[in-house]
Amino acid sequence: MSLLPSRFIYLCLHFLVLYFQLQESQQSSADFRFYIENHTRNPDDLSRKQVRIYQLYSRTTGKHVQILGKKINANGDDGGKYALLVVETETFGSHIRIKGKESEHYICMNEKGKIVGRPDGRKQECVFVEEFLENNYTALVSAKYKGWYLGFNRKGRPKKGSRTTQRQQEVHFMKRQPKGRVDPLEEFRFTTVTKRTRRARRLKPNPKRN
């Protein structure tokens, strides 16, 4: 009978140790999430910048974002000179600045949510944060105006940021290589999109295997 109390005390101590370990783990996880959120609010000026050239395929228009200067739309042709985008990427936090290779203007969003092209992209209004969606598309949310996305309607005209949400197709894009260009050093995979091909083709049975 004397063994029962000691066994009970042992189990209580064991559960107490597990409880404190769990609390410590949850606290560490919360602290780490706070650290990430706090550091991704602003671009990391100390990290090495990366520069890429690609196109942004618009899900709504079936064409590409192009920067003509002050005016920006999503009616660019594949390989068009105004659809070639120079994307300056911060290595921490997915903060990017998008500049037209031909026009040398940046995509910016003003305080009214209007998308405009500006020759100087150093302001926070010209910084966007990439959000990778489950449907393999990418959304670009303003780093300054939280919840305001880069988006275009079916006619290719920019939407005001205040009228956008992440679920809207108007804010969904795909990164694509310029027509005829292959860069083996790209870290992300580009997706080829066609308007007609929406369903996966069924494989025909091979009679030779039977």
Side-chain angles (χ1 to χ4, degrees), residues 115-141:
I115 301 298
V116 295
R118 292 178 179 172
D120 186 359
R122 289 176 293 181
K123 293 183 178 181
Q124 190 74 354
E125 294 180 346
C126 306
V127 179
F128 293 87
V129 181
E130 294 180 307
E131 294 183 353
F132 302 100
L133 310 179
E134 294 180 357
N135 58 5
N136 295 323
Y137 284 92
T138 299
L140 299 171
V141 63

PDB file of all heavy atoms in Angstrom, residues 115-141:
ATOM      1  N   ILE A 115      -3.575  53.109 -58.237  1.00  0.00           N
ATOM      2  CA  ILE A 115      -2.307  52.587 -58.753  1.00  0.00           C
ATOM      3  C   ILE A 115      -1.731  53.571 -59.765  1.00  0.00           C
ATOM      4  O   ILE A 115      -2.381  53.920 -60.752  1.00  0.00           O
ATOM      5  CB  ILE A 115      -2.506  51.207 -59.418  1.00  0.00           C
ATOM      6  CG1 ILE A 115      -3.096  50.214 -58.409  1.00  0.00           C
ATOM      7  CG2 ILE A 115      -1.188  50.685 -59.981  1.00  0.00           C
ATOM      8  CD1 ILE A 115      -2.210  49.950 -57.218  1.00  0.00           C
ATOM      9  N   VAL A 116      -0.502  54.012 -59.520  1.00  0.00           N
ATOM     10  CA  VAL A 116       0.153  54.981 -60.393  1.00  0.00           C
ATOM     11  C   VAL A 116       1.598  54.556 -60.632  1.00  0.00           C
ATOM     12  O   VAL A 116       2.179  53.781 -59.860  1.00  0.00           O
ATOM     13  CB  VAL A 116       0.124  56.397 -59.778  1.00  0.00           C
ATOM     14  CG1 VAL A 116      -1.306  56.915 -59.682  1.00  0.00           C
ATOM     15  CG2 VAL A 116       0.774  56.401 -58.396  1.00  0.00           C
ATOM     16  N   GLY A 117       2.181  55.070 -61.709  1.00  0.00           N
ATOM     17  CA  GLY A 117       3.576  54.826 -62.010  1.00  0.00           C
ATOM     18  C   GLY A 117       4.419  56.027 -61.627  1.00  0.00           C
ATOM     19  O   GLY A 117       4.073  57.170 -61.956  1.00  0.00           O
ATOM     20  N   ARG A 118       5.519  55.784 -60.930  1.00  0.00           N
ATOM     21  CA  ARG A 118       6.388  56.863 -60.485  1.00  0.00           C
ATOM     22  C   ARG A 118       7.843  56.530 -60.800  1.00  0.00           C
ATOM     23  O   ARG A 118       8.244  55.371 -60.703  1.00  0.00           O
ATOM     24  CB  ARG A 118       6.223  57.102 -58.982  1.00  0.00           C
ATOM     25  CG  ARG A 118       4.850  57.666 -58.605  1.00  0.00           C
ATOM     26  CD  ARG A 118       4.718  57.842 -57.111  1.00  0.00           C
ATOM     27  NE  ARG A 118       3.416  58.405 -56.752  1.00  0.00           N
ATOM     28  CZ  ARG A 118       2.974  58.520 -55.521  1.00  0.00           C
ATOM     29  NH1 ARG A 118       3.716  58.090 -54.519  1.00  0.00           N
ATOM     30  NH2 ARG A 118       1.782  59.057 -55.276  1.00  0.00           N
ATOM     31  N   PRO A 119       8.631  57.553 -61.160  1.00  0.00           N
ATOM     32  CA  PRO A 119      10.042  57.291 -61.499  1.00  0.00           C
ATOM     33  C   PRO A 119      10.908  56.966 -60.290  1.00  0.00           C
ATOM     34  O   PRO A 119      11.969  56.371 -60.428  1.00  0.00           O
ATOM     35  CB  PRO A 119      10.488  58.606 -62.160  1.00  0.00           C
ATOM     36  CG  PRO A 119       9.552  59.641 -61.611  1.00  0.00           C
ATOM     37  CD  PRO A 119       8.244  58.954 -61.402  1.00  0.00           C
ATOM     38  N   ASP A 120      10.450  57.349 -59.098  1.00  0.00           N
ATOM     39  CA  ASP A 120      11.202  57.084 -57.867  1.00  0.00           C
ATOM     40  C   ASP A 120      10.426  56.072 -57.028  1.00  0.00           C
ATOM     41  O   ASP A 120       9.297  56.344 -56.595  1.00  0.00           O
ATOM     42  CB  ASP A 120      11.396  58.386 -57.089  1.00  0.00           C
ATOM     43  CG  ASP A 120      12.307  58.195 -55.875  1.00  0.00           C
ATOM     44  OD1 ASP A 120      12.761  57.048 -55.632  1.00  0.00           O
ATOM     45  OD2 ASP A 120      12.558  59.188 -55.163  1.00  0.00           O
ATOM     46  N   GLY A 121      11.016  54.921 -56.792  1.00  0.00           N
ATOM     47  CA  GLY A 121      10.318  53.866 -56.060  1.00  0.00           C
ATOM     48  C   GLY A 121      10.809  53.657 -54.650  1.00  0.00           C
ATOM     49  O   GLY A 121      10.551  52.611 -54.049  1.00  0.00           O
ATOM     50  N   ARG A 122      11.503  54.646 -54.090  1.00  0.00           N
ATOM     51  CA  ARG A 122      12.067  54.464 -52.756  1.00  0.00           C
ATOM     52  C   ARG A 122      11.047  54.642 -51.641  1.00  0.00           C
ATOM     53  O   ARG A 122      11.267  54.189 -50.524  1.00  0.00           O
ATOM     54  CB  ARG A 122      13.227  55.445 -52.556  1.00  0.00           C
ATOM     55  CG  ARG A 122      14.468  55.097 -53.374  1.00  0.00           C
ATOM     56  CD  ARG A 122      15.541  56.139 -53.206  1.00  0.00           C
ATOM     57  NE  ARG A 122      15.164  57.428 -53.785  1.00  0.00           N
ATOM     58  CZ  ARG A 122      15.940  58.508 -53.781  1.00  0.00           C
ATOM     59  NH1 ARG A 122      17.131  58.451 -53.202  1.00  0.00           N
ATOM     60  NH2 ARG A 122      15.525  59.631 -54.336  1.00  0.00           N
ATOM     61  N   LYS A 123       9.913  55.281 -51.935  1.00  0.00           N
ATOM     62  CA  LYS A 123       8.917  55.505 -50.893  1.00  0.00           C
ATOM     63  C   LYS A 123       8.194  54.206 -50.550  1.00  0.00           C
ATOM     64  O   LYS A 123       8.116  53.282 -51.355  1.00  0.00           O
ATOM     65  CB  LYS A 123       7.916  56.563 -51.344  1.00  0.00           C
ATOM     66  CG  LYS A 123       8.526  57.956 -51.495  1.00  0.00           C
ATOM     67  CD  LYS A 123       7.459  58.971 -51.867  1.00  0.00           C
ATOM     68  CE  LYS A 123       8.061  60.372 -51.976  1.00  0.00           C
ATOM     69  NZ  LYS A 123       7.027  61.379 -52.322  1.00  0.00           N
ATOM     70  N   GLN A 124       7.627  54.168 -49.351  1.00  0.00           N
ATOM     71  CA  GLN A 124       6.924  52.984 -48.876  1.00  0.00           C
ATOM     72  C   GLN A 124       5.695  52.689 -49.721  1.00  0.00           C
ATOM     73  O   GLN A 124       5.241  51.542 -49.779  1.00  0.00           O
ATOM     74  CB  GLN A 124       6.528  53.185 -47.406  1.00  0.00           C
ATOM     75  CG  GLN A 124       5.993  51.944 -46.717  1.00  0.00           C
ATOM     76  CD  GLN A 124       7.071  50.933 -46.392  1.00  0.00           C
ATOM     77  OE1 GLN A 124       8.219  51.108 -46.780  1.00  0.00           O
ATOM     78  NE2 GLN A 124       6.708  49.880 -45.678  1.00  0.00           N
ATOM     79  N   GLU A 125       5.142  53.700 -50.396  1.00  0.00           N
ATOM     80  CA  GLU A 125       3.971  53.494 -51.241  1.00  0.00           C
ATOM     81  C   GLU A 125       4.270  52.607 -52.440  1.00  0.00           C
ATOM     82  O   GLU A 125       3.350  52.082 -53.073  1.00  0.00           O
ATOM     83  CB  GLU A 125       3.436  54.842 -51.738  1.00  0.00           C
ATOM     84  CG  GLU A 125       2.880  55.725 -50.620  1.00  0.00           C
ATOM     85  CD  GLU A 125       2.354  57.050 -51.151  1.00  0.00           C
ATOM     86  OE1 GLU A 125       2.670  57.381 -52.309  1.00  0.00           O
ATOM     87  OE2 GLU A 125       1.617  57.732 -50.420  1.00  0.00           O
ATOM     88  N   CYS A 126       5.536  52.436 -52.748  1.00  0.00           N
ATOM     89  CA  CYS A 126       5.945  51.638 -53.903  1.00  0.00           C
ATOM     90  C   CYS A 126       6.451  50.258 -53.509  1.00  0.00           C
ATOM     91  O   CYS A 126       7.029  49.544 -54.334  1.00  0.00           O
ATOM     92  CB  CYS A 126       7.020  52.380 -54.696  1.00  0.00           C
ATOM     93  SG  CYS A 126       6.552  54.055 -55.192  1.00  0.00           S
ATOM     94  N   VAL A 127       6.225  49.880 -52.275  1.00  0.00           N
ATOM     95  CA  VAL A 127       6.673  48.581 -51.778  1.00  0.00           C
ATOM     96  C   VAL A 127       5.458  47.676 -51.598  1.00  0.00           C
ATOM     97  O   VAL A 127       4.441  48.090 -51.026  1.00  0.00           O
ATOM     98  CB  VAL A 127       7.424  48.717 -50.443  1.00  0.00           C
ATOM     99  CG1 VAL A 127       7.850  47.341 -49.925  1.00  0.00           C
ATOM    100  CG2 VAL A 127       8.638  49.615 -50.606  1.00  0.00           C
ATOM    101  N   PHE A 128       5.562  46.450 -52.100  1.00  0.00           N
ATOM    102  CA  PHE A 128       4.489  45.461 -51.961  1.00  0.00           C
ATOM    103  C   PHE A 128       5.041  44.204 -51.293  1.00  0.00           C
ATOM    104  O   PHE A 128       6.245  43.928 -51.358  1.00  0.00           O
ATOM    105  CB  PHE A 128       3.896  45.106 -53.331  1.00  0.00           C
ATOM    106  CG  PHE A 128       3.157  46.244 -53.973  1.00  0.00           C
ATOM    107  CD1 PHE A 128       3.827  47.176 -54.748  1.00  0.00           C
ATOM    108  CD2 PHE A 128       1.788  46.390 -53.798  1.00  0.00           C
ATOM    109  CE1 PHE A 128       3.150  48.241 -55.337  1.00  0.00           C
ATOM    110  CE2 PHE A 128       1.097  47.444 -54.383  1.00  0.00           C
ATOM    111  CZ  PHE A 128       1.781  48.370 -55.153  1.00  0.00           C
ATOM    112  N   VAL A 129       4.150  43.472 -50.673  1.00  0.00           N
ATOM    113  CA  VAL A 129       4.533  42.219 -50.005  1.00  0.00           C
ATOM    114  C   VAL A 129       3.866  41.057 -50.735  1.00  0.00           C
ATOM    115  O   VAL A 129       2.653  41.079 -50.980  1.00  0.00           O
ATOM    116  CB  VAL A 129       4.100  42.215 -48.524  1.00  0.00           C
ATOM    117  CG1 VAL A 129       4.529  40.911 -47.848  1.00  0.00           C
ATOM    118  CG2 VAL A 129       4.695  43.414 -47.798  1.00  0.00           C
ATOM    119  N   GLU A 130       4.660  40.067 -51.112  1.00  0.00           N
ATOM    120  CA  GLU A 130       4.128  38.908 -51.823  1.00  0.00           C
ATOM    121  C   GLU A 130       3.396  37.977 -50.865  1.00  0.00           C
ATOM    122  O   GLU A 130       3.891  37.659 -49.785  1.00  0.00           O
ATOM    123  CB  GLU A 130       5.263  38.135 -52.494  1.00  0.00           C
ATOM    124  CG  GLU A 130       5.946  38.896 -53.605  1.00  0.00           C
ATOM    125  CD  GLU A 130       7.070  38.086 -54.228  1.00  0.00           C
ATOM    126  OE1 GLU A 130       7.944  37.616 -53.465  1.00  0.00           O
ATOM    127  OE2 GLU A 130       7.066  37.903 -55.447  1.00  0.00           O
ATOM    128  N   GLU A 131       2.224  37.538 -51.289  1.00  0.00           N
ATOM    129  CA  GLU A 131       1.461  36.535 -50.550  1.00  0.00           C
ATOM    130  C   GLU A 131       1.209  35.363 -51.490  1.00  0.00           C
ATOM    131  O   GLU A 131       0.563  35.524 -52.526  1.00  0.00           O
ATOM    132  CB  GLU A 131       0.137  37.112 -50.045  1.00  0.00           C
ATOM    133  CG  GLU A 131       0.310  38.195 -48.992  1.00  0.00           C
ATOM    134  CD  GLU A 131      -1.017  38.705 -48.464  1.00  0.00           C
ATOM    135  OE1 GLU A 131      -2.076  38.314 -49.022  1.00  0.00           O
ATOM    136  OE2 GLU A 131      -1.015  39.504 -47.515  1.00  0.00           O
ATOM    137  N   PHE A 132       1.728  34.198 -51.149  1.00  0.00           N
ATOM    138  CA  PHE A 132       1.609  33.022 -52.000  1.00  0.00           C
ATOM    139  C   PHE A 132       0.342  32.261 -51.613  1.00  0.00           C
ATOM    140  O   PHE A 132       0.195  31.817 -50.481  1.00  0.00           O
ATOM    141  CB  PHE A 132       2.850  32.145 -51.875  1.00  0.00           C
ATOM    142  CG  PHE A 132       4.119  32.880 -52.226  1.00  0.00           C
ATOM    143  CD1 PHE A 132       4.943  33.388 -51.228  1.00  0.00           C
ATOM    144  CD2 PHE A 132       4.472  33.098 -53.553  1.00  0.00           C
ATOM    145  CE1 PHE A 132       6.101  34.079 -51.543  1.00  0.00           C
ATOM    146  CE2 PHE A 132       5.634  33.786 -53.876  1.00  0.00           C
ATOM    147  CZ  PHE A 132       6.444  34.283 -52.877  1.00  0.00           C
ATOM    148  N   LEU A 133      -0.566  32.131 -52.566  1.00  0.00           N
ATOM    149  CA  LEU A 133      -1.877  31.563 -52.305  1.00  0.00           C
ATOM    150  C   LEU A 133      -1.908  30.068 -52.573  1.00  0.00           C
ATOM    151  O   LEU A 133      -1.041  29.521 -53.270  1.00  0.00           O
ATOM    152  CB  LEU A 133      -2.919  32.278 -53.177  1.00  0.00           C
ATOM    153  CG  LEU A 133      -2.872  33.813 -53.129  1.00  0.00           C
ATOM    154  CD1 LEU A 133      -3.924  34.400 -54.045  1.00  0.00           C
ATOM    155  CD2 LEU A 133      -3.053  34.315 -51.703  1.00  0.00           C
ATOM    156  N   GLU A 134      -2.934  29.394 -52.046  1.00  0.00           N
ATOM    157  CA  GLU A 134      -3.060  27.949 -52.195  1.00  0.00           C
ATOM    158  C   GLU A 134      -3.354  27.530 -53.625  1.00  0.00           C
ATOM    159  O   GLU A 134      -3.094  26.397 -54.008  1.00  0.00           O
ATOM    160  CB  GLU A 134      -4.161  27.429 -51.267  1.00  0.00           C
ATOM    161  CG  GLU A 134      -3.840  27.577 -49.785  1.00  0.00           C
ATOM    162  CD  GLU A 134      -4.947  27.061 -48.900  1.00  0.00           C
ATOM    163  OE1 GLU A 134      -5.986  26.647 -49.454  1.00  0.00           O
ATOM    164  OE2 GLU A 134      -4.772  27.051 -47.672  1.00  0.00           O
ATOM    165  N   ASN A 135      -3.903  28.437 -54.438  1.00  0.00           N
ATOM    166  CA  ASN A 135      -4.232  28.106 -55.827  1.00  0.00           C
ATOM    167  C   ASN A 135      -3.052  28.360 -56.770  1.00  0.00           C
ATOM    168  O   ASN A 135      -3.228  28.455 -57.982  1.00  0.00           O
ATOM    169  CB  ASN A 135      -5.452  28.894 -56.289  1.00  0.00           C
ATOM    170  CG  ASN A 135      -5.254  30.404 -56.164  1.00  0.00           C
ATOM    171  OD1 ASN A 135      -4.170  30.884 -55.824  1.00  0.00           O
ATOM    172  ND2 ASN A 135      -6.294  31.158 -56.450  1.00  0.00           N
ATOM    173  N   ASN A 136      -1.860  28.514 -56.211  1.00  0.00           N
ATOM    174  CA  ASN A 136      -0.614  28.721 -56.968  1.00  0.00           C
ATOM    175  C   ASN A 136      -0.495  30.120 -57.549  1.00  0.00           C
ATOM    176  O   ASN A 136       0.448  30.394 -58.304  1.00  0.00           O
ATOM    177  CB  ASN A 136      -0.460  27.689 -58.097  1.00  0.00           C
ATOM    178  CG  ASN A 136      -0.304  26.283 -57.573  1.00  0.00           C
ATOM    179  OD1 ASN A 136       0.332  26.070 -56.542  1.00  0.00           O
ATOM    180  ND2 ASN A 136      -0.899  25.320 -58.256  1.00  0.00           N
ATOM    181  N   TYR A 137      -1.411  30.990 -57.213  1.00  0.00           N
ATOM    182  CA  TYR A 137      -1.291  32.385 -57.631  1.00  0.00           C
ATOM    183  C   TYR A 137      -0.572  33.179 -56.546  1.00  0.00           C
ATOM    184  O   TYR A 137      -0.403  32.726 -55.415  1.00  0.00           O
ATOM    185  CB  TYR A 137      -2.663  33.002 -57.908  1.00  0.00           C
ATOM    186  CG  TYR A 137      -3.280  32.575 -59.222  1.00  0.00           C
ATOM    187  CD1 TYR A 137      -4.126  31.476 -59.286  1.00  0.00           C
ATOM    188  CD2 TYR A 137      -3.012  33.270 -60.400  1.00  0.00           C
ATOM    189  CE1 TYR A 137      -4.694  31.081 -60.488  1.00  0.00           C
ATOM    190  CE2 TYR A 137      -3.577  32.880 -61.606  1.00  0.00           C
ATOM    191  CZ  TYR A 137      -4.420  31.780 -61.644  1.00  0.00           C
ATOM    192  OH  TYR A 137      -4.972  31.393 -62.834  1.00  0.00           O
ATOM    193  N   THR A 138      -0.165  34.395 -56.926  1.00  0.00           N
ATOM    194  CA  THR A 138       0.498  35.307 -56.004  1.00  0.00           C
ATOM    195  C   THR A 138      -0.301  36.590 -55.911  1.00  0.00           C
ATOM    196  O   THR A 138      -0.777  37.106 -56.926  1.00  0.00           O
ATOM    197  CB  THR A 138       1.929  35.629 -56.480  1.00  0.00           C
ATOM    198  OG1 THR A 138       2.699  34.423 -56.532  1.00  0.00           O
ATOM    199  CG2 THR A 138       2.610  36.607 -55.543  1.00  0.00           C
ATOM    200  N   ALA A 139      -0.474  37.098 -54.704  1.00  0.00           N
ATOM    201  CA  ALA A 139      -1.127  38.387 -54.488  1.00  0.00           C
ATOM    202  C   ALA A 139      -0.089  39.362 -53.956  1.00  0.00           C
ATOM    203  O   ALA A 139       0.851  38.981 -53.254  1.00  0.00           O
ATOM    204  CB  ALA A 139      -2.290  38.244 -53.514  1.00  0.00           C
ATOM    205  N   LEU A 140      -0.267  40.642 -54.300  1.00  0.00           N
ATOM    206  CA  LEU A 140       0.673  41.675 -53.882  1.00  0.00           C
ATOM    207  C   LEU A 140      -0.083  42.718 -53.060  1.00  0.00           C
ATOM    208  O   LEU A 140      -0.892  43.471 -53.585  1.00  0.00           O
ATOM    209  CB  LEU A 140       1.327  42.324 -55.108  1.00  0.00           C
ATOM    210  CG  LEU A 140       2.132  41.375 -56.004  1.00  0.00           C
ATOM    211  CD1 LEU A 140       2.542  42.069 -57.287  1.00  0.00           C
ATOM    212  CD2 LEU A 140       3.369  40.860 -55.269  1.00  0.00           C
ATOM    213  N   VAL A 141       0.199  42.746 -51.777  1.00  0.00           N
ATOM    214  CA  VAL A 141      -0.479  43.676 -50.874  1.00  0.00           C
ATOM    215  C   VAL A 141       0.465  44.831 -50.551  1.00  0.00           C
ATOM    216  O   VAL A 141       1.682  44.655 -50.446  1.00  0.00           O
ATOM    217  CB  VAL A 141      -0.922  42.950 -49.580  1.00  0.00           C
ATOM    218  CG1 VAL A 141       0.280  42.429 -48.803  1.00  0.00           C
ATOM    219  CG2 VAL A 141      -1.775  43.862 -48.721  1.00  0.00           C
TER     220      VAL A 141
END
